Amino acid sequence: MAFRIRKSFKVAPGIRLNVSKSGLSTSIGGKGTTVNLSKRGTKVTSSIPGTGISTSKLYGSSKAPNTSHSAPTASPGFGSYLLTLLIIAGVLWAIFHK
């Protein structure tokens, strides 16, 4: 039996910080459309609220096969920078919003 562990924190209206055993991610949006930024890539989910009908697409996935014999190089994508920026903005908002 597999177990999943996840905790979500509301950082600001429409922005959530998600923590799981696989890492951190940030969700932006709400009912209807949500964008999730994580190390796996950017996932966009759209739905018709109240119907259970939804669709999602993962962009920037790093599932490409590694066929070269050289050492892989790490190249952070735009999603990594945006995720870092959103986390910093959320922390600053939480500190100064009183």
Side-chain angles (χ1 to χ4, degrees):
M1 178 182 280
F3 288 96
R4 289 190 290 178
I5 300 170
R6 185 185 75 93
K7 179 66 179 166
S8 182
F9 301 95
K10 183 177 179 181
V11 177
I15 301 175
R16 300 186 77 75
L17 179 65
N18 309 302
V19 182
S20 71
K21 66 180 182 179
S22 62
L24 291 173
S25 71
T26 302
S27 296
I28 304 167
K31 292 183 179 179
T33 302
T34 303
V35 177
N36 183 278
L37 306 164
S38 70
K39 66 181 180 181
R40 290 179 44 207
T42 302
K43 184 175 185 178
V44 179
T45 303
S46 298
S47 67
I48 302 172
T51 64
I53 300 171
S54 68
T55 183
S56 62
K57 171 105 173 143
L58 181 63
Y59 297 94
S61 176
S62 60
K63 292 185 178 180
N66 186 6
T67 57
S68 69
H69 297 290
S70 62
T73 58
S75 174
F78 178 73
S80 298
Y81 293 121
L82 187 57
L83 177 61
T84 303
L85 180 64
L86 287 172
I87 292 171
I88 292 169
V91 169
L92 291 174
W93 181 86
I95 291 171
F96 295 109
H97 186 278
K98 291 186 179 188

